[in-house]
Amino acid sequence: MKVFVAGATGRVAQVLIEDLLSQGHQVVAGTRQVNRLPHKEGLIAVTLELTSPIPELTKLLQGVDAVYFTAGSRGKELLAVDAFGAVALMQAAQLAGVKRFIMLSSLFSLTPEAWQNPKLSSLRDYLMAKYFADDWLMHRSGLDYTILQAGALEEAQEATGLVSFQVEQFSRNSIPNVAAVLAAVLTADNTIGKVIAMGDGEKPLIQAVKEV
């Protein structure tokens, strides 16, 4: 498949791109910092500015089979990037005829009642932005979506391949495991229309995806 990855220089996206390339997919990597992307077979680097007009975003998605949204402003442009930037890319996907849209989101993004937890106070504005984007994707985009909600991300050398999709509180989310799940749901039609709350766990990743 030809896959577009928004936010291609992010920590999860870099591992995701490697996973997708290893599986034989072609990746169009969208980022503000194309100079940070490696030169690899199957990887096409394009400049992506999520605040661009929707017609410009639509051009970037021509001929693409699926879109990943892994971008984030790290708190600097929550409305322009994390919220409406995501919506703009959804609208561009609609216009470009791309149906599959996979969103990397955050645990508790769709449960505002959980935001009262003092442990989430520093993330409240971020979670609000993700709520806006996730809710739009689910109810207004018309796209074949999968939303992956991950908690706090942690560095790791490689994926354990062991996860849990029965997560109700913050748990460890190794970046390679998150990337591996994102790559796996691409061709797992049973994950379309689903919100997956994940953490590292004890169930083999492939089995967990099949059981979604």
Side-chain angles (χ1 to χ4, degrees):
M1 298 174 68
K2 187 176 183 180
V3 182
F4 187 93
V5 177
T9 52
R11 293 186 298 165
V12 173
Q14 290 181 65
V15 183
L16 170 62
I17 289 170
E18 293 293 336
D19 289 348
L20 293 171
L21 291 174
S22 70
Q23 294 171 14
H25 300 293
Q26 184 179 34
V27 177
V28 181
T31 177
R32 288 173 171 172
Q33 302 170 299
V34 291
N35 60 312
R36 289 183 54 195
L37 292 170
H39 296 284
K40 290 193 172 185
E41 184 177 355
L43 180 64
I44 302 169
V46 297
T47 300
L48 170 67
E49 176 54 73
L50 286 166
T51 57
S52 297
I54 291 174
E56 292 184 17
L57 297 176
T58 304
K59 291 178 182 177
L60 295 178
L61 302 185
Q62 295 297 324
V64 165
D65 299 304
V67 174
Y68 281 95
F69 188 89
T70 66
S73 68
R74 298 189 178 183
K76 297 177 182 178
E77 298 177 90
L78 288 173
L79 291 177
V81 174
D82 301 70
F84 190 71
V87 171
L89 198 64
M90 295 172 208
Q91 293 174 327
Q94 289 175 307
L95 292 171
V98 183
K99 290 296 293 178
R100 192 75 170 101
F101 198 102
I102 300 170
M103 171 76 82
L104 174 60
S105 190
S106 179
L107 200 61
F108 307 122
S109 65
L110 292 168
T111 50
E113 60 273 18
W115 304 348
Q116 306 305 317
N117 187 325
K119 293 181 180 180
L120 298 177
S121 60
S122 64
L123 296 174
R124 189 168 181 178
D125 287 348
Y126 169 70
L127 290 170
M128 287 180 180
K130 297 305 289 185
Y131 176 94
F132 177 79
D134 292 355
D135 186 73
W136 185 287
L137 180 57
M138 293 172 66
H139 301 297
R140 300 189 66 176
S141 73
L143 299 172
D144 293 337
Y145 70 85
T146 301
I147 298 173
L148 182 66
Q149 298 178 320
L153 301 174
E154 296 185 2
E155 302 287 346
Q157 291 298 314
E158 59 184 21
T160 64
L162 299 173
V163 299
S164 171
F165 290 166
Q166 306 296 324
V167 178
E168 297 180 355
Q169 58 186 353
F170 273 118
S171 60
R172 183 176 186 274
N173 286 257
S174 69
I175 289 173
N177 272 356
V178 174
V181 172
L182 287 170
V185 302
L186 175 62
T187 55
D189 289 349
N190 62 300
T191 65
I192 292 174
K194 301 292 180 61
V195 179
I196 303 170
M198 80 160 287
D200 291 356
E202 298 181 353
K203 181 170 288 188
L205 184 155
I206 299 301
Q207 179 184 349
V209 169
K210 286 181 178 178
E211 294 176 356
V212 168

